[in-house]
Amino acid sequence: MTSTAGPPPTGGGDGERQRLRLLAVTACPTGIAHTYMAAEKLARAAESRGIDMKVETQGSIGAENVLDDNDVSTADGVIIAADKDVDLSRFVGKRVLVVGVAEGIRHPERLIEQVRSAPVHTASGTASATAAPTGRERSVAYKALMNGVSYMIPFVVVGGLLIAISLSLGGHPDPSGGLVIPKDSFWMDVNNIGVIGFTLMVPILSGYIAYAIGDRPALVPGMIGGWIANTGSLYDSKAGAGFIGAIVTGFLAGYLVLWIKKVKVPKFVQPIMPIIVIPIVATTALGLFFINVIGKPISWVFEHLTSWLGGMTGTSAILLGTILGLMIAFDMGGPVNKTAFLFGAGLIATGNQAVMGMCAAAIPVMPLGQGLATLIRQRFYTEQERETGLASLFMGCFGISEGAIPFAAARPAQVIPANMLGGAVAGAIAGLAGVKDAVPHGGPIVAVLGAVSGVPMFFVAVAIGTAVTAVTTVALADVSERKRHGAPVGHGVSADEPELALVGAGVGTPGAGGVVAERASRGGTATVGSAGSSTGAAAAVETMADAGSAGIDSANSGSANSGSADAEGAPGSGSGSPAASSDPEIRPGILPEALPEVPPEVLSGYLTEQTVKVGLDAGDKEGVIREMAGLLARTGKVVDVEELVATALRREAQGTTGLGEEIAIPHAKTDAVSAPVVGFARSAEGVEWGSLDGTKARLVFMIAVPEAAAGDEHLRILALLSRKLMDAGFRERLSAAEDESAVLGVLSEVG
C-alpha cells in the first residue's frame, strides 16, 4: 500500500542540497538476463543526469550489491523494476515506484522522472505492491499462478513417484478390489509418505498463489483455503474441488488480504495486523465462504453427475466411454473426475467391470500425454517442465493422473482440452473393445498385475489416447506461439525474458553469474550501480553464465586453457612473442620482423580466421544461424550441421539471445560438434533478433560446445567475451574492422 504523503526526508543532512540519491532493485523470474540489463540501463540513465544511484540485483546467484540501512536512509526514492515479489518493508517512508523489469530496460529515464513524484511507501504497505500504470495487471495474476505452480511441482513429483514405487514393488491386486499394499510392510510406509506429499500439493498451490498476491499475511488463508477446497467432506461432497478449487481459493485469499490491508485501523493495532488480525480474519472468512457458498454447488454437481451417469448404463458403450474419459481428464482429482471414477468403482461390486475398464484406460492418458509432449516439442518447455514431464510419464504408468496437474495449472487453455480429447478417445476405444477392470485403479500397472481383461486393446486405447493428448497439446501450443509472433511458449521462459543459457544447461541454476564473472576478473566486489561501467548488453552477456553450475573463477585459474594466461601474453597464449614460440623452424638470431605473421589466437583458438565473416548474406535469424553453422563447419569440428542448427534454433525458441546494443550470441550445447568452436560475423543491415531494446543484431557471435565441455569451458568463453563487450570502444573497433584479418586482430583483445 502506498499513500500520497509529502516527500520523505532526503539525504543531505548538512542543510545543503546534495545530489539526488536514488536506489533501485531489479529482478526477473529466472534471474538471468533482464535482472542485470535493467540494472545497467538504470545506472547509465542516472549517471547521464548527474544522479547517484545504487542498484541491487536479485539474480539467480542471489542478491548482489545489497542495499543497506545507510543507503535507504539517505535515498530520495526507490525504483523496483521486477517481475517477482520484492520485499518493500525496508523502504517505509521512501518514495517507491514499482514496475516490471522490462520497463527498467526500455524506459529508464522515464522511471527516474516518475520516482520523484511516486507515492510514499507506508508501514502497512504490501511487499508485493501493485505495479505502476506502466505495468500490466494481467501479469500479476499470471505471476501469482506460476508462483503457486512452481512450489507445487516438487510435491507432485515426490508424492506421485513414492506412491508409484510403493504400488509397483509392494502392491498386488486384491480379490475384494483394488491394489493392496500389506499394512505392516515397508512399502506401506513409503506409500503413506507419498500420500502426504499429494495431500499437501493442493494447499501449497493455493497458498503460494495467495502469497504472490498478498505476501506473508495471505499464506495461511491461502493454504487453509486450499485444504478446505480439497476436502469434500467439509461441504458434504464425496470429492474435493481439487486443483481448480485451489486456484480459486488462492486468488480469493490473496485479494481478500489486499482488501483488508486497505482498511484503516488505529495506530496501536497496526503492528499486529499482518501476523494476527489479517490471517485470522481472512482465513475465517474464506473458509466459511467456501464451505457454505462454493462448496454447496460442488456437492450438487457431484450428486447430479453420479445420478446422470447411473441412467446411462444401458446406452452405447462408445458414448459412455467418451463421456467418462472426458470427465476423468477434466480436473484430475476434482469433483468431475471423482464422479466418473467412483461411478466405475461402484459398479465393480455389481459385476459390471466394463465401466471401470473405460475409466482405467483414460486415467493414465493425461500424465502420459503431457510427458510425451515435453519430449516431442522440447523447445516449448523449460528445463524444469521437461524434468516434470519425465516424472509425469512415470506416474502415468501407475495410473496417477495428478502428474499432469502442473501442466494443466500452468496452461489450462492448452492442456485441459488436450487432456479431455485424449481421455475421451481412450475411454471410447476401451468401451468399444469391451475392456474390463476388476480393481478401482487405472493405468498400465493394473494390466501388468492381471486386473484387466482385454489387455491388448487396453494398451491400444491408452496409446492412442496418449498420442492424441500429446499431439493436441503441441498443436495448441504452436497456435499460441504463432499468435504471439514467435514468442516462446512456456511459463518458465517468458516472451520478454531472454534467458541466455545453453540448451539443457540448467536454466536458472544457481551458480556463477555475470556479476561473479566481473568480480573474478578484477578481484573486487561487483557494484552494478557504478554508472557507466558497462553497457546493458555486456551485463546481459555476463549473466549468460548464470545458466551454469560451476564458479567462473576457474575460468581464470589456468586449469582449462587459461584465459588469464592468454590475456597476459604468457607462454602458449599466442600473443605473438617469438620467445614463447615452439615452432621448430624458428632459430636464435632471426629477427622477429623476418618471421611469417602468426594469426592471433582468440579464445584458446576456438575462434579463428576460418570462423570470421565480415558480411553476412542472410537477412533473418534462422538464415544467419544456418550461415554461421556453415562457418563453424569450416573447422572440421562440426559433425552434424543440421543438428547444430536445430539445437541453436531450439535455444532461440526458449528466449531470444539478442542482447541489445546490436549484439546477438546464439549458442548451443550439442554433440553435433566434436570440440568447442566460436564464430563471429557482421551484418551491415542488421538482423531482427527480438532484442529487448529493439535494435537489430549487427555483431553476431555463435558458440557451440559438445555436451562434455558445457561446464567450465562455456562459462570461460562467456566470461572472456563479457569483459570485452563492456567496452564500447571495442565494439566500435569490431564494427569498423575492414576484413577478416582485421576483425581477428580486434577479437584478439578478448584473450
Side-chain angles (χ1 to χ4, degrees):
M1 173 178 167
T2 54
S3 71
T4 54
T10 57
D14 56 0
E16 182 181 348
R17 178 64 184 174
Q18 304 293 319
R19 290 209 325 174
L20 191 67
R21 294 186 176 92
L22 297 179
L23 304 178
V25 179
T26 62
C28 58
T30 52
I32 309 292
H34 276 93
T35 297
Y36 303 96
M37 291 173 71
E40 293 297 334
K41 293 286 187 179
L42 286 166
R44 289 166 58 195
E47 178 67 16
S48 68
R49 284 161 175 72
I51 297 172
D52 291 332
M53 175 177 280
K54 181 176 180 179
V55 186
E56 175 182 308
T57 55
Q58 296 187 3
S60 63
I61 60 173
E64 294 285 330
N65 205 36
V66 177
L67 307 177
D68 57 34
D69 292 341
N70 185 60
D71 295 325
V72 175
S73 66
T74 59
D76 296 299
V78 183
I79 298 171
I80 308 295
D83 284 340
K84 67 176 186 178
D85 294 334
V86 173
D87 185 3
L88 303 186
S89 60
R90 52 184 166 156
F91 303 128
V92 171
K94 298 296 178 180
R95 295 190 180 278
V96 177
L97 177 67
V98 182
V99 297
V101 70
E103 289 298 310
I105 298 171
R106 292 175 178 143
H107 308 295
E109 299 85 359
R110 181 193 301 173
L111 300 184
I112 289 173
E113 294 301 321
Q114 289 178 342
V115 73
R116 302 185 190 194
S117 57
V120 175
H121 186 63
T122 63
S124 58
T126 173
S128 53
T130 303
T134 50
R136 293 175 297 176
E137 184 63 27
R138 178 184 175 187
S139 67
V140 174
Y142 180 79
K143 288 185 293 182
L145 180 60
M146 291 307 101
N147 192 58
V149 170
S150 66
Y151 279 101
M152 175 187 69
I153 284 175
F155 290 86
V156 176
V157 173
V158 171
L161 293 183
L162 288 178
I163 291 174
I165 291 170
S166 65
L167 284 172
S168 63
L169 299 180
H172 59 83
D174 188 88
S176 61
L179 291 173
V180 177
I181 302 173
K183 290 184 178 180
D184 297 329
S185 70
F186 166 79
W187 295 113
M188 177 56 77
D189 293 334
V190 174
N191 183 269
N192 289 336
I193 295 171
V195 169
I196 292 172
F198 254 20
T199 304
L200 290 174
M201 169 185 70
V202 173
I204 289 294
L205 172 63
S206 177
Y208 281 97
I209 289 174
Y211 177 81
I213 297 170
D215 199 50
R216 284 185 291 269
L219 187 59
V220 170
M223 285 194 172
I224 293 179
W227 188 284
I228 292 172
N230 202 40
T231 309
S233 60
L234 294 174
Y235 41 91
D236 300 324
S237 174
K238 293 183 181 179
F243 82 96
I244 294 178
I247 292 174
V248 172
T249 56
F251 281 106
L252 286 177
Y255 285 108
L256 177 61
V257 166
L258 286 183
W259 179 78
I260 296 174
K261 285 181 176 182
K262 295 179 181 179
V263 177
K264 295 186 180 295
V265 296
K267 191 172 183 178
F268 71 89
V269 179
Q270 290 179 0
I272 64 172
M273 285 291 288
I275 59 173
I276 298 178
V277 178
I278 293 177
I280 289 177
V281 172
T283 301
T284 304
L286 177 62
L288 293 175
F289 177 75
F290 199 97
I291 291 172
N292 296 295
V293 179
I294 299 178
K296 296 298 182 182
I298 293 174
S299 178
W300 182 90
V301 167
F302 187 97
E303 292 174 3
H304 283 75
L305 279 175
T306 304
S307 176
W308 177 63
L309 286 173
M312 294 188 63
T313 53
T315 62
S316 166
I318 297 177
L319 176 60
L320 182 58
T322 299
I323 293 172
L324 289 173
L326 288 170
M327 294 174 66
I328 287 288
F330 174 66
D331 54 0
M332 291 157 286
V336 178
N337 170 283
K338 280 294 190 292
T339 297
F341 177 81
L342 294 178
F343 176 70
L347 290 177
I348 294 176
T350 68
N352 184 348
Q353 299 177 357
V355 174
M356 192 63 217
M358 303 172 196
C359 296
I363 284 171
V365 162
M366 298 82 73
L368 291 176
Q370 295 306 319
L372 180 60
T374 65
L375 295 178
I376 63 179
R377 279 294 186 273
Q378 294 188 18
R379 67 189 184 89
F380 287 159
Y381 297 91
T382 65
E383 186 72 18
Q384 183 187 40
E385 287 178 314
R386 290 194 293 272
E387 292 171 359
T388 304
L390 294 176
S392 180
L393 285 170
F394 190 72
M395 283 185 264
C397 292
F398 293 89
I400 302 173
S401 60
E402 288 85 351
I405 286 180
F407 300 99
R411 304 184 187 88
Q414 299 168 18
V415 171
I416 292 178
N419 284 348
M420 293 177 67
L421 184 58
V425 170
I429 294 175
L432 176 65
V435 172
K436 296 180 180 180
D437 182 10
V439 299
H441 198 81
I445 183 65
V446 294
V448 172
L449 294 177
V452 170
S453 62
V455 172
M457 287 307 298
F458 172 80
F459 279 108
V460 168
V462 171
I464 295 177
T466 296
V468 168
T469 292
V471 171
T472 305
T473 299
V474 169
L476 292 176
D478 190 49
V479 169
S480 176
E481 183 181 38
R482 287 199 300 269
K483 284 182 178 179
R484 292 190 288 178
H485 305 289
V489 175
H491 69 267
V493 186
S494 72
D496 290 328
E497 177 61 22
E499 287 189 21
L500 301 172
L502 291 172
V503 173
V507 176
T509 301
V515 177
V516 178
E518 189 175 3
R519 179 189 302 150
S521 66
R522 292 201 291 260
T525 302
T527 304
V528 179
S530 178
S533 63
S534 64
T535 68
V541 174
E542 283 193 271
T543 62
M544 292 168 70
D546 288 350
S549 59
I552 219 161
D553 292 64
S554 64
N556 298 316
S557 66
S559 60
N561 297 315
S562 173
S564 294
D566 291 348
E568 295 300 323
S573 67
S575 61
S577 170
S581 175
S582 59
D583 189 335
E585 297 299 320
I586 297 178
R587 297 287 185 267
I590 298 179
L591 294 176
E593 290 78 9
L595 294 174
E597 184 177 351
V598 178
E601 186 176 81
V602 180
L603 295 171
S604 302
Y606 300 149
L607 195 156
T608 66
E609 193 166 344
Q610 281 183 305
T611 60
V612 172
K613 190 171 185 179
V614 294
L616 283 165
D617 298 321
D620 65 302
K621 183 192 294 189
E622 181 174 348
V624 168
I625 288 175
R626 288 189 177 279
E627 189 173 342
M628 295 199 70
L631 194 66
L632 300 184
R634 295 179 183 177
T635 63
K637 298 176 182 177
V638 178
V639 179
D640 187 337
V641 173
E642 286 302 316
E643 178 58 27
L644 172 58
V645 171
T647 305
L649 291 176
R650 285 197 297 269
R651 174 60 195 88
E652 292 296 330
Q654 291 184 342
T656 179
T657 56
L659 309 183
E661 305 289 355
E662 301 183 337
I663 297 172
I665 307 186
H667 46 275
K669 179 187 75 172
T670 172
D671 286 331
V673 295
S674 58
V677 59
V678 182
F680 169 76
R682 292 193 317 226
S683 171
E685 298 298 326
V687 179
E688 181 56 52
W689 217 277
S691 300
L692 199 61
D693 64 358
T695 60
K696 293 184 176 181
R698 298 179 186 274
L699 307 177
V700 184
F701 291 86
M702 186 167 182
I703 303 172
V705 296
E707 293 276 353
D712 291 344
E713 194 60 12
H714 94 265
L715 293 174
R716 189 182 76 84
I717 295 170
L718 294 173
L720 292 172
L721 277 176
S722 69
R723 289 204 296 270
K724 290 307 298 181
L725 286 171
M726 286 193 294
D727 182 356
F730 172 77
R731 298 197 307 275
E732 291 174 3
R733 292 192 298 277
L734 198 54
S735 299
E738 295 181 355
D739 54 26
E740 281 80 0
S741 179
V743 166
L744 198 65
V746 176
L747 290 174
S748 66
E749 300 176 27
V750 174

